[in-house]
Amino acid sequence: MDSERPDLGAMVMRLGRRLIAMEEPILERHGVSMWAYVVLTALSGSEGPTRTQAALAQSIGADKTRLIPILDDLQKRGLIEREPDPADRRARLLALTEEGKEKQRAIQKEIRTAENDLLAGNKEKDAFVRALRDLSR
Amino acid sequence: MDSERPDLGAMVMRLGRRLIAMEEPILERHGVSMWAYVVLTALSGSEGPTRTQAALAQSIGADKTRLIPILDDLQKRGLIEREPDPADRRARLLALTEEGKEKQRAIQKEIRTAENDLLAGNKEKDAFVRALRDLSR
DNA sequence: TATTGTTATACTCTATAACTATA
DNA sequence: TATAGTTATAGAGTATAACAATA
């Protein structure tokens, strides 16, 4: 019975596409790109405003150069603060503004609702999420 | 507790990257790209050699134009047959050769082994795979 | 000299549009 | 005219390399 299923990779990628398609209209309504949302979420997770752009890039699996235009935009729109670290002025301290925190929470709330709708019909959803959490670490 | 986990999409994409990284050396050893393997697997699944390239493209979530160089290569290497449908000579009938079938089986076997290693430590792996199968459909 | 962030450039992947051959 | 496949082209996304500022 094991051989009679698609490869894990194929199924995961399929589900990934489905989730992205689900999230896209939500993100668009809020005027942020996928990566911008990933950045907002990463910054909302860390306690304390400390962080360097290179570390942030690595933590979300992106290249540091890809981050720059995203950060530029988020800063211009007042969703993040980016100022030189007084202790080492090469680095930039990144932090969400109040507005940024609110935006992140609002988007995440909608995404969670959509996720729950997707999971709703599945009896093993709790085990699925637990295992996924473990396997994606 | 539900709010204290990453978004589903983030976890799924992370796992996807991990699986791809896992599969890459296997595929490279066999000299096929990811998409080429997807094509071989799609063709191995269908009973009967019938199929059109556009249908194949759609079934694997790719553009028909992206398929062409992949099919060219697979054909040149004797892994697939591609001949005009006598009933409608615009269409191409696609089928794996014996060698193509063997290659697909050999690669899939290695990938399944690697997948099982990845899943091995997780107690809820069976529920995970069942749910994933359902959710990715 | 090494490191952070930035800019400029090149490369890969993917999609769009135009073409051919059949129907 | 419509459709399957192909080719050529353009666009998005991503990575590499060079640069400026600071250490």
Side-chain angles (χ1 to χ4, degrees), chain A residues 5 7 18 37 112 135, chain B residues 5 7 18 37 112 135:
Chain A
R5 61 154 174 85
D7 292 334
R18 192 174 168 189
Y37 172 65
R112 291 300 164 101
L135 293 169
Chain B
R5 60 153 174 87
D7 291 334
R18 192 174 168 191
Y37 171 65
R112 290 300 164 100
L135 293 169

Side-chain angles (χ1 to χ4, degrees), chain B residues 113-132:
Chain B
T113 300
E115 286 179 358
N116 288 336
D117 288 350
L118 190 87
L119 293 171
N122 194 291
K123 287 168 190 160
E124 307 187 281
K125 61 183 172 190
D126 291 336
F128 172 76
V129 173
R130 277 193 301 270
L132 175 61

Side-chain angles (χ1 to χ4, degrees), chain B residues 9-40:
Chain B
M11 293 193 289
V12 167
M13 294 312 275
R14 237 172 225 287
L15 178 57
R17 277 201 289 249
R18 192 174 168 191
L19 286 166
I20 287 176
M22 189 190 79
E23 292 178 12
E24 244 161 21
I26 297 173
L27 293 168
E28 192 173 8
R29 212 177 316 121
H30 285 275
V32 300
S33 69
M34 183 88 61
W35 281 111
Y37 171 65
V38 171
V39 166
L40 292 178

